PDB file of all heavy atoms in Angstrom:
ATOM      1  N   ARG A  33      65.956  33.852 -17.180  1.00 97.00           N
ATOM      2  CA  ARG A  33      67.258  34.476 -16.928  1.00 97.00           C
ATOM      3  C   ARG A  33      68.165  34.406 -18.163  1.00 97.00           C
ATOM      4  O   ARG A  33      69.370  34.563 -18.062  1.00 97.00           O
ATOM      5  CB  ARG A  33      67.938  33.807 -15.725  1.00 97.00           C
ATOM      6  CG  ARG A  33      67.292  34.179 -14.385  1.00 97.00           C
ATOM      7  CD  ARG A  33      67.691  33.180 -13.306  1.00 97.00           C
ATOM      8  NE  ARG A  33      67.353  33.601 -11.971  1.00 97.00           N
ATOM      9  CZ  ARG A  33      66.134  33.570 -11.437  1.00 97.00           C
ATOM     10  NH1 ARG A  33      65.107  33.145 -12.183  1.00 97.00           N
ATOM     11  NH2 ARG A  33      65.922  33.950 -10.194  1.00 97.00           N
ATOM     12  N   HIS A  34      67.556  34.139 -19.310  1.00 98.00           N
ATOM     13  CA  HIS A  34      68.251  34.166 -20.603  1.00 98.00           C
ATOM     14  C   HIS A  34      69.338  33.107 -20.699  1.00 98.00           C
ATOM     15  O   HIS A  34      70.349  33.311 -21.368  1.00 98.00           O
ATOM     16  CB  HIS A  34      68.830  35.562 -20.877  1.00 98.00           C
ATOM     17  CG  HIS A  34      67.813  36.659 -20.730  1.00 98.00           C
ATOM     18  ND1 HIS A  34      66.750  36.816 -21.596  1.00 98.00           N
ATOM     19  CD2 HIS A  34      67.684  37.638 -19.786  1.00 98.00           C
ATOM     20  CE1 HIS A  34      66.013  37.852 -21.207  1.00 98.00           C
ATOM     21  NE2 HIS A  34      66.557  38.363 -20.114  1.00 98.00           N
ATOM     22  N   ARG A  35      69.118  31.958 -20.057  1.00 98.00           N
ATOM     23  CA  ARG A  35      70.021  30.819 -20.216  1.00 98.00           C
ATOM     24  C   ARG A  35      69.455  29.901 -21.291  1.00 98.00           C
ATOM     25  O   ARG A  35      68.271  29.550 -21.258  1.00 98.00           O
ATOM     26  CB  ARG A  35      70.177  30.038 -18.916  1.00 98.00           C
ATOM     27  CG  ARG A  35      71.056  30.579 -17.798  1.00 98.00           C
ATOM     28  CD  ARG A  35      71.827  31.814 -18.059  1.00 98.00           C
ATOM     29  NE  ARG A  35      72.793  32.130 -17.014  1.00 98.00           N
ATOM     30  CZ  ARG A  35      72.707  33.197 -16.226  1.00 98.00           C
ATOM     31  NH1 ARG A  35      71.693  34.024 -16.338  1.00 98.00           N
ATOM     32  NH2 ARG A  35      73.665  33.446 -15.329  1.00 98.00           N
ATOM     33  N   ASN A  36      70.303  29.532 -22.226  1.00 98.00           N
ATOM     34  CA  ASN A  36      69.906  28.609 -23.295  1.00 98.00           C
ATOM     35  C   ASN A  36      69.738  27.231 -22.659  1.00 98.00           C
ATOM     36  O   ASN A  36      70.713  26.595 -22.255  1.00 98.00           O
ATOM     37  CB  ASN A  36      70.985  28.584 -24.376  1.00 98.00           C
ATOM     38  CG  ASN A  36      70.603  27.696 -25.551  1.00 98.00           C
ATOM     39  OD1 ASN A  36      69.432  27.399 -25.759  1.00 98.00           O
ATOM     40  ND2 ASN A  36      71.599  27.254 -26.303  1.00 98.00           N
ATOM     41  N   THR A  37      68.502  26.765 -22.547  1.00 98.00           N
ATOM     42  CA  THR A  37      68.175  25.608 -21.716  1.00 98.00           C
ATOM     43  C   THR A  37      67.518  24.503 -22.526  1.00 98.00           C
ATOM     44  O   THR A  37      66.622  24.752 -23.345  1.00 98.00           O
ATOM     45  CB  THR A  37      67.231  26.028 -20.563  1.00 98.00           C
ATOM     46  OG1 THR A  37      67.857  27.069 -19.807  1.00 98.00           O
ATOM     47  CG2 THR A  37      66.918  24.852 -19.647  1.00 98.00           C
ATOM     48  N   LEU A  38      67.947  23.268 -22.261  1.00 98.00           N
ATOM     49  CA  LEU A  38      67.350  22.064 -22.844  1.00 98.00           C
ATOM     50  C   LEU A  38      66.577  21.328 -21.765  1.00 98.00           C
ATOM     51  O   LEU A  38      67.124  21.019 -20.702  1.00 98.00           O
ATOM     52  CB  LEU A  38      68.438  21.147 -23.404  1.00 98.00           C
ATOM     53  CG  LEU A  38      67.997  19.744 -23.852  1.00 98.00           C
ATOM     54  CD1 LEU A  38      67.036  19.825 -25.030  1.00 98.00           C
ATOM     55  CD2 LEU A  38      69.210  18.880 -24.188  1.00 98.00           C
ATOM     56  N   LEU A  39      65.316  21.041 -22.017  1.00 98.00           N
ATOM     57  CA  LEU A  39      64.461  20.275 -21.115  1.00 98.00           C
ATOM     58  C   LEU A  39      64.193  18.920 -21.764  1.00 98.00           C
ATOM     59  O   LEU A  39      63.629  18.845 -22.854  1.00 98.00           O
ATOM     60  CB  LEU A  39      63.149  21.029 -20.873  1.00 98.00           C
ATOM     61  CG  LEU A  39      62.081  20.367 -20.005  1.00 98.00           C
ATOM     62  CD1 LEU A  39      62.615  20.027 -18.612  1.00 98.00           C
ATOM     63  CD2 LEU A  39      60.846  21.274 -19.901  1.00 98.00           C
ATOM     64  N   LEU A  40      64.629  17.847 -21.098  1.00 98.00           N
ATOM     65  CA  LEU A  40      64.525  16.485 -21.631  1.00 98.00           C
ATOM     66  C   LEU A  40      63.420  15.709 -20.919  1.00 98.00           C
ATOM     67  O   LEU A  40      63.298  15.776 -19.691  1.00 98.00           O
ATOM     68  CB  LEU A  40      65.851  15.743 -21.445  1.00 98.00           C
ATOM     69  CG  LEU A  40      67.032  16.186 -22.308  1.00 98.00           C
ATOM     70  CD1 LEU A  40      68.315  15.501 -21.821  1.00 98.00           C
ATOM     71  CD2 LEU A  40      66.790  15.850 -23.777  1.00 98.00           C
ATOM     72  N   GLU A  41      62.666  14.938 -21.692  1.00 97.00           N
ATOM     73  CA  GLU A  41      61.625  14.074 -21.136  1.00 97.00           C
ATOM     74  C   GLU A  41      61.710  12.707 -21.803  1.00 97.00           C
ATOM     75  O   GLU A  41      61.764  12.612 -23.026  1.00 97.00           O
ATOM     76  CB  GLU A  41      60.244  14.690 -21.378  1.00 97.00           C
ATOM     77  CG  GLU A  41      59.064  13.793 -21.046  1.00 97.00           C
ATOM     78  CD  GLU A  41      59.096  13.269 -19.621  1.00 97.00           C
ATOM     79  OE1 GLU A  41      59.331  14.076 -18.687  1.00 97.00           O
ATOM     80  OE2 GLU A  41      58.896  12.050 -19.440  1.00 97.00           O
ATOM     81  N   GLN A  42      61.725  11.643 -20.986  1.00 95.00           N
ATOM     82  CA  GLN A  42      61.915  10.303 -21.552  1.00 95.00           C
ATOM     83  C   GLN A  42      60.686   9.774 -22.283  1.00 95.00           C
ATOM     84  O   GLN A  42      60.805   8.927 -23.169  1.00 95.00           O
ATOM     85  CB  GLN A  42      62.325   9.326 -20.453  1.00 95.00           C
ATOM     86  CG  GLN A  42      61.260   9.073 -19.382  1.00 95.00           C
ATOM     87  CD  GLN A  42      61.663   7.973 -18.412  1.00 95.00           C
ATOM     88  OE1 GLN A  42      62.241   6.962 -18.824  1.00 95.00           O
ATOM     89  NE2 GLN A  42      61.386   8.154 -17.136  1.00 95.00           N
ATOM     90  N   PHE A  43      59.485  10.267 -21.936  1.00 92.00           N
ATOM     91  CA  PHE A  43      58.258   9.804 -22.573  1.00 92.00           C
ATOM     92  C   PHE A  43      57.734  10.865 -23.551  1.00 92.00           C
ATOM     93  O   PHE A  43      58.025  12.046 -23.415  1.00 92.00           O
ATOM     94  CB  PHE A  43      57.184   9.491 -21.533  1.00 92.00           C
ATOM     95  CG  PHE A  43      57.600   8.454 -20.526  1.00 92.00           C
ATOM     96  CD1 PHE A  43      57.738   8.773 -19.184  1.00 92.00           C
ATOM     97  CD2 PHE A  43      57.870   7.144 -20.926  1.00 92.00           C
ATOM     98  CE1 PHE A  43      58.129   7.822 -18.255  1.00 92.00           C
ATOM     99  CE2 PHE A  43      58.266   6.189 -20.001  1.00 92.00           C
ATOM    100  CZ  PHE A  43      58.397   6.524 -18.663  1.00 92.00           C
ATOM    101  N   ILE A  44      56.936  10.397 -24.518  1.00 93.00           N
ATOM    102  CA  ILE A  44      56.291  11.322 -25.443  1.00 93.00           C
ATOM    103  C   ILE A  44      55.212  12.107 -24.687  1.00 93.00           C
ATOM    104  O   ILE A  44      54.385  11.522 -23.979  1.00 93.00           O
ATOM    105  CB  ILE A  44      55.653  10.564 -26.625  1.00 93.00           C
ATOM    106  CG1 ILE A  44      56.726   9.797 -27.408  1.00 93.00           C
ATOM    107  CG2 ILE A  44      54.914  11.534 -27.545  1.00 93.00           C
ATOM    108  CD1 ILE A  44      57.751  10.652 -28.096  1.00 93.00           C
TER     109      ILE A  44
END
Side-chain angles (χ1 to χ4, degrees):
R33 287 162 168 76
H34 308 292
R35 283 355 189 246
N36 183 20
T37 303
L38 171 65
L39 177 57
L40 289 171
E41 171 55 47
Q42 65 173 320
F43 302 115
I44 299 295

